[in-house]
Amino acid sequence: MTKNRLTLPLVPLRGMTVFPGMTLHFDVGRPRSIAAVRRAMDTDKYIFLCYQTDIAVDQPQAKDLAQIGTIAEIRQILNLPDGNIRVLINGLDRGKITRFTELDQLVEVNVTRLEDIPASDDIQIQVLVRRMYHLVEEFLSLYDRLSPEAMTSLLSIENPGELTDVVISNFPVKAQLKQEILDEISVEARLKKLIAIISHEIDILKIEKELADKVQESLDENQREYVLREKLKVIQEELGDGASAEDDAQKYRKQVNSRQLPQEVADKLNEEITRLTKTHPYSQEYGVVQNYIETVLALPWDHKTEDRLDLETAKAILERDHYGLQKVKERILEYIAVRKLSGQPKNNILCLVGPPGTGKTSIARSLAEALGRNYIRISLGGVQNESEIRGHRKTYVGAMPGRIIDALKRAGSSNPLMLFDEIDKMSHSYNGDPASAMLEVFDPEQNQSFRDHYIELPFDLSGVLFVATANSLDTVPKPLLDRMDIMEISGYTMDEKMNIAKKYLIPKQRRMHGLKASQLKFNASALPALIESYTRESGVRSLERRIAAICRKAAVKTVEDSAEGPISVTAKNLSEFLGKPIYHYDKTAAQDQIGLVNGLAWTESGGDTLSIEVNTMSGTGKLELTGNLGDVMQESAKAALSFVRANAFRLGIAQDFYKKLDIHIHVPEGAVPKDGPSAGITMATALVSALSGRPVNRLVAMTGEITLRGRVLPIGGLKEKALAAFRMGIKTIVLPFDNKPDYEELPQNLKDSISFVFAKDMNTVLKTALLPVSTAKKQPLQKEVRYIDALISGSEQKERVRADHFQQI
């Protein structure tokens, strides 16, 4: 290559500097660098390599690059499996960037080839070269990671400039120092800089060697001290003076004798203490035995708290901490009463089931306070290993007791109230099923001698009051459910949420945010708007977060002195604190429609309304189901269609509709998965409406499972569904007859606002929901008349059947 001005593709180098005369390979991974390599291979194989000053920059600009680099020739490239390229290059000459040009996929630079400036004094150069030889030899004597033979062969190069480049390229120094050598065009100046760099590295190596020698001397001294101590221990044991292990043993025996421990526990501890005395204090086994003894002694074998069985005090605490939840409070008071009369109720495992944020965890804490017991909480969410419950064998490294024994140690008494939070979130893996381990814990007949794998001693759990919480019982194994007393906690009504906010949440958040009641006031209209437009939940967790957000905004205004007088939150200015409303509840349709029925659904966040639409089209009897429906809901739709087909004549529907019509059932909000059997009667009503032309009363909603015979089966979540209907403005709800007991437990304001109809079969449902055919819809009925006329012969019989048929309509 003879040209002095070149235009070459650029490859910036991170942490590496290439010198003329070097042959090396490196990996290229950045897209622009890969494109530059490929451009060079497509042309003359020449490329420009320069050092990147800031390695953190992914796409360096001219300011991020050294101005002087190396013109190199690509000898070979290899495509790697990860998309990178391995390049073998040979450095040719120094070059200086005169122009930096960014193209679409790569960077090109205009480069001026640089020649070495020879020294004017040959003797001076010889002195510098000889000095460099001595320094290299001294460096190799201190640094054993470079091959002396390799460096000796490199020093045989006669050209001083080339010699300098080769030596610095093989030296273990930073790329920045190497770049300084590359930047130097003068051979004499380059030699001087190289000598300074090698001298500095030699000084550092000498200091490192001194430090290493001192460390080695310290290690030798420690080793000598260890040997002497071991000899001293042997001498002490021979003389009977070795009392270090015996001191620990004596301390533990004193603790065992001062405690009223079960005999089996005392014998086991004395056995382990004797074993401790025979174990070398510096061995690993000594620590294992010592940890075991301390863990067993820390358990509350002989300590329990006295129960406070005062119903009035318990009632006052429960009313102070929680609003509503009457069934739960009654059940807790019943437990305390039985405990007071019998001394020990047989079934003492309670399971509180309900939506998030309804107070399950906090009511367990209140129960512990009412009884005067220590409170301890164990979170079971995500537990999938049996050892989490029963512990690990102490023979394993890092073994520890299970969560139950650990909780008892932290509680400090043998009869605490132990809360198992989120028991429905347990899972299982190849390490065992934790739910199976809980069977013994929750069985009053077995937990009197619960054995943890770590302590290997029976602990009496019969005095522990176990309380579990769950959002749903679907994932809890049946044997475990059989051992618990299930108490369902339903969602809060609007009135209950407002009272909870007034009595608990607002005062609590004011206090936490440093506000006084005189500084922040909530208008009577603010809470209903806050609950309906900014929360959608059965509990009050989200409501508390919204109140906290309002308090933060009020705190800012108060600190800035921008609030004139007390800050008042109303329905109108609520958006100033929380932004635009998040939720918009559905309202009833403006008019009665054919094939559109209001259904009711239950979700983990509470009740919701569910409109079901049915359309009929000319076709061949195809049934289309849309709306992200689950398998159970699809089966309900098929059962509803079978009921309509079987009773078509009685319902005023053409008996061959399934041959001539396609039916499309759709449940809006298709992005939300839906499943369950309780929409069965809703689908059946929508089908009858669409096929008979009878409108559906827009103020009627319904829920219930349908059978092929038209019976209406009971459903769950009545309270949440009724609340959703109330928000929607529904005036009548059709329920299964078997849900009458659930109706009795509904709040009185719901009973006063909504009329409830109890249906045993579809006759009652259709009679309540369907309206007569309007005048505009009479024409289709004429086809029905002609259809019936064609089926029945005889004028007298024809008139009777026609009269009976349309009386049903």
Side-chain angles (χ1 to χ4, degrees):
M1 181 180 63
T2 58
K3 293 182 180 179
N4 288 330
R5 297 182 183 275
L6 304 168
T7 300
L8 300 174
L10 171 69
V11 175
L13 301 177
R14 287 173 168 170
M16 182 172 64
T17 302
V18 176
F19 286 85
M22 287 181 64
T23 299
L24 79 162
H25 62 77
F26 56 90
D27 293 347
V28 178
R30 289 185 281 188
R32 296 207 302 187
S33 299
I34 292 175
V37 171
R38 298 195 185 280
R39 172 68 65 84
M41 292 299 295
D42 292 339
T43 53
D44 53 6
K45 297 185 180 181
Y46 292 119
I47 199 165
F48 189 71
L49 307 174
C50 69
Y51 174 73
Q52 180 177 330
T53 56
D54 188 358
I55 64 173
V57 179
D58 192 53
Q59 294 187 355
Q61 303 300 314
K63 61 183 178 61
D64 302 317
L65 303 173
Q67 294 300 306
I68 295 179
T70 301
I71 302 169
E73 181 183 11
I74 299 177
R75 293 287 184 85
Q76 184 181 5
I77 66 170
L78 177 64
N79 294 319
L80 301 178
D82 58 357
N84 295 345
I85 295 178
R86 182 160 293 169
V87 183
L88 177 65
I89 61 96
N90 180 33
L92 300 177
D93 300 289
R94 281 176 170 79
K96 183 176 182 180
I97 298 175
T98 58
R99 185 176 180 183
F100 183 93
T101 306
E102 287 193 44
L103 303 180
D104 291 338
Q105 296 181 348
L106 54 93
V107 176
E108 280 190 351
V109 290
N110 292 351
V111 178
T112 299
R113 185 167 165 269
L114 302 176
E115 297 287 344
D116 287 347
I117 300 174
S120 58
D121 188 351
D122 290 338
I123 297 177
Q124 177 71 12
I125 292 296
Q126 291 178 9
V127 171
L128 292 175
V129 170
R130 186 172 296 179
R131 174 60 178 164
M132 185 187 68
Y133 282 161
H134 293 312
L135 290 174
V136 170
E137 290 176 357
E138 185 178 359
F139 181 88
L140 291 176
S141 66
L142 296 172
Y143 192 83
D144 56 358
R145 298 180 188 178
L146 288 179
S147 171
E149 292 79 12
M151 292 300 298
T152 302
S153 62
L154 292 174
L155 296 177
S156 63
I157 300 172
E158 296 181 356
N159 188 323
E162 183 181 352
L163 175 64
T164 308
D165 291 343
V166 173
V167 171
I168 191 63
S169 64
N170 286 276
F171 246 67
V173 295
K174 294 180 180 180
Q176 295 175 349
L177 296 176
K178 292 184 177 183
Q179 183 62 38
E180 292 180 8
I181 299 295
L182 185 65
D183 290 341
E184 191 58 60
I185 306 301
S186 170
V187 174
E188 182 178 351
R190 196 186 305 165
L191 277 168
K192 290 179 179 179
K193 279 190 177 182
L194 178 60
I195 290 171
I197 290 172
I198 298 176
S199 299
H200 180 69
E201 292 296 322
I202 289 174
D203 293 339
I204 293 175
L205 286 177
K206 287 181 178 179
I207 295 173
E208 288 180 353
K209 189 175 186 304
E210 291 177 3
L211 291 174
D213 292 339
K214 290 181 180 179
V215 170
Q216 186 62 42
E217 290 176 4
S218 176
L219 290 175
D220 294 340
E221 183 67 24
N222 291 337
Q223 187 174 5
R224 177 175 175 275
E225 184 179 349
Y226 174 79
V227 173
L228 291 176
R229 286 185 180 277
E230 291 297 316
K231 290 181 179 179
L232 179 61
K233 289 173 187 175
V234 173
I235 295 172
Q236 288 178 340
E237 289 175 0
E238 291 293 329
L239 296 175
D241 295 336
S244 58
E246 189 59 38
D247 289 343
D248 291 337
Q250 185 176 357
K251 178 183 67 174
Y252 294 141
R253 285 196 181 97
K254 184 177 180 180
Q255 293 183 29
V256 171
N257 295 331
S258 63
R259 300 272 298 277
Q260 296 179 357
L261 301 175
Q263 188 61 41
E264 184 178 355
V265 176
D267 293 343
K268 178 68 174 177
L269 283 174
N270 287 326
E271 178 183 337
E272 292 295 325
I273 292 171
T274 303
R275 182 183 173 190
L276 185 71
T277 59
K278 298 178 181 179
T279 306
H280 198 286
Y282 285 87
S283 68
Q284 183 178 358
E285 183 67 18
Y286 188 89
V288 172
V289 177
Q290 188 178 35
N291 187 52
Y292 174 80
I293 295 173
E294 292 177 352
T295 301
V296 176
L297 285 172
L299 292 176
W301 301 95
D302 51 353
H303 177 69
K304 62 171 56 179
T305 57
E306 289 293 330
D307 284 348
R308 182 171 57 227
L309 304 176
D310 186 352
L311 285 179
E312 293 300 324
T313 302
K315 188 182 297 184
I317 292 174
L318 293 175
E319 291 295 335
R320 180 198 69 192
D321 295 342
H322 296 85
Y323 182 85
L325 303 178
Q326 295 305 320
K327 287 181 62 177
V328 180
K329 293 176 181 177
E330 290 175 5
R331 178 64 182 84
I332 291 174
L333 294 177
E334 290 170 2
Y335 170 82
I336 295 175
V338 173
R339 172 77 169 150
K340 185 173 184 178
L341 292 176
S342 65
Q344 178 67 46
K346 185 175 182 180
N347 188 3
N348 59 344
I349 294 97
L350 306 177
C351 182
L352 307 177
V353 182
T358 51
K360 300 184 295 296
T361 303
S362 59
I363 203 166
R365 188 182 295 108
S366 299
L367 174 58
E369 182 183 352
L371 290 172
R373 293 196 179 196
N374 296 336
Y375 169 80
I376 195 71
R377 173 181 170 272
I378 299 176
S379 177
L380 296 180
V383 172
Q384 57 179 0
N385 192 335
E386 180 189 0
S387 298
E388 293 279 345
I389 306 298
R390 286 189 173 274
H392 305 77
R393 302 284 182 188
K394 66 176 183 291
T395 53
Y396 294 110
V397 176
M400 65 182 77
R403 294 198 180 196
I404 295 176
I405 294 299
D406 180 68
L408 288 169
K409 184 172 69 173
R410 289 185 287 121
S413 63
S414 61
N415 64 335
L417 185 147
M418 190 175 294
L419 174 67
F420 289 99
D421 211 2
E422 309 291 353
I423 196 172
D424 57 325
K425 304 300 188 299
M426 284 191 302
S427 58
H428 60 86
S429 66
Y430 64 91
N431 290 320
D433 186 1
S436 300
M438 296 293 294
L439 294 176
E440 179 185 359
V441 178
F442 279 0
D443 192 341
E445 302 297 333
Q446 301 181 42
N447 62 16
Q448 297 178 0
S449 57
F450 173 75
R451 286 182 180 268
D452 185 271
H453 288 160
Y454 181 79
I455 65 172
E456 297 177 334
L457 292 169
F459 197 100
D460 186 4
L461 299 178
S462 60
V464 180
L465 174 57
F466 294 107
V467 179
T469 69
N471 298 130
S472 173
L473 298 178
D474 296 340
T475 58
V476 181
K478 298 300 180 184
L480 197 58
L481 282 178
D482 186 56
R483 286 164 166 78
M484 297 187 291
D485 186 6
I486 307 298
M487 298 172 58
E488 293 188 0
I489 300 179
S490 58
Y492 293 116
T493 64
M494 170 72 77
D495 292 340
E496 288 174 334
K497 288 184 179 180
M498 290 178 62
N499 280 285
I500 292 171
K502 291 177 183 176
K503 296 182 178 180
Y504 303 100
L505 304 183
I506 293 176
K508 174 185 173 183
Q509 291 301 323
R510 279 203 198 108
R511 185 172 59 255
M512 291 178 63
H513 290 82
L515 296 170
K516 299 178 181 178
S518 59
Q519 294 175 309
L520 176 62
K521 296 182 179 180
F522 283 79
N523 191 274
S525 63
L527 287 178
L530 173 62
I531 293 169
E532 288 191 349
S533 300
Y534 292 91
T535 64
R536 180 171 285 185
E537 57 175 348
S538 294
V540 292
R541 222 174 251 150
S542 180
L543 177 60
E544 185 173 8
R545 285 195 292 268
R546 299 298 176 191
I547 294 173
I550 294 173
C551 291
R552 290 195 297 269
K553 296 284 187 182
V556 172
K557 291 185 178 181
T558 302
V559 172
E560 291 178 348
D561 293 329
S562 61
E564 298 178 359
I567 300 171
S568 180
V569 182
T570 65
K572 293 182 179 180
N573 67 357
L574 199 57
S575 59
E576 298 177 8
F577 294 91
L578 300 176
K580 64 180 182 179
I582 301 174
Y583 302 107
H584 302 277
Y585 287 98
D586 297 331
K587 295 298 180 183
T588 55
Q591 60 183 5
D592 304 324
Q593 300 184 37
I594 296 173
L596 178 63
V597 185
N598 298 317
L600 300 175
W602 181 91
T603 68
E604 290 188 357
S605 299
D608 201 357
T609 55
L610 195 73
S611 61
I612 294 181
E613 303 174 344
V614 174
N615 269 356
T616 60
M617 300 78 68
S618 298
T620 58
K622 179 183 176 183
L623 176 63
E624 186 76 22
L625 301 173
T626 57
N628 204 349
L629 309 184
D631 293 339
V632 178
M633 202 165 184
Q634 293 185 33
E635 291 176 358
S636 296
K638 295 174 182 177
L641 180 60
S642 296
F643 164 76
V644 174
R645 284 185 58 184
N647 297 273
F649 184 79
R650 184 175 60 84
L651 296 172
I653 300 171
Q655 290 184 313
D656 61 346
F657 73 88
Y658 63 92
K659 297 179 181 179
K660 300 180 179 180
L661 297 176
D662 286 345
I663 299 174
H664 188 163
I665 302 177
H666 177 67
V667 183
E669 298 185 16
V672 180
K674 311 169 190 70
D675 204 3
S678 61
I681 66 171
T682 314
M683 291 181 174
T685 304
L687 283 168
V688 173
S689 172
L691 292 169
S692 66
R694 298 177 63 181
V696 181
N697 190 337
R698 60 189 176 86
L699 300 179
V700 174
M702 60 188 67
T703 178
E705 182 180 354
I706 189 174
T707 68
L708 292 177
R709 298 289 187 269
R711 291 189 298 115
V712 181
L713 302 184
I715 47 86
L718 177 58
K719 181 179 178 182
E720 287 79 6
K721 293 179 178 180
L723 287 172
F726 177 75
R727 289 194 299 264
M728 187 179 180
I730 295 296
K731 299 301 180 185
T732 303
I733 297 179
V734 181
L735 300 177
F737 186 83
D738 292 338
N739 282 110
K740 264 194 173 182
D742 300 320
Y743 164 78
E744 301 299 334
E745 297 178 2
L746 292 178
Q748 190 60 42
N749 65 330
L750 282 179
K751 296 179 182 178
D752 296 338
S753 303
I754 299 176
S755 174
F756 290 84
V757 177
F758 299 96
K760 292 183 179 180
D761 52 42
M762 283 299 299
N763 290 334
T764 306
V765 177
L766 298 177
K767 182 179 178 181
T768 305
L770 296 183
L771 300 173
V773 180
S774 63
T775 306
K777 296 296 181 180
K778 285 185 178 180
Q779 185 62 29
L781 296 181
Q782 302 304 320
K783 296 180 180 179
E784 283 295 313
V785 175
R786 290 194 296 273
Y787 174 76
I788 296 171
D789 289 345
L791 289 177
I792 305 172
S793 61
S795 59
E796 182 179 351
Q797 185 182 12
K798 184 183 300 183
E799 292 297 330
R800 178 173 55 79
V801 173
R802 285 173 56 183
D804 292 343
H805 178 61
F806 289 105
Q807 185 178 3
Q808 293 290 336
I809 301 177

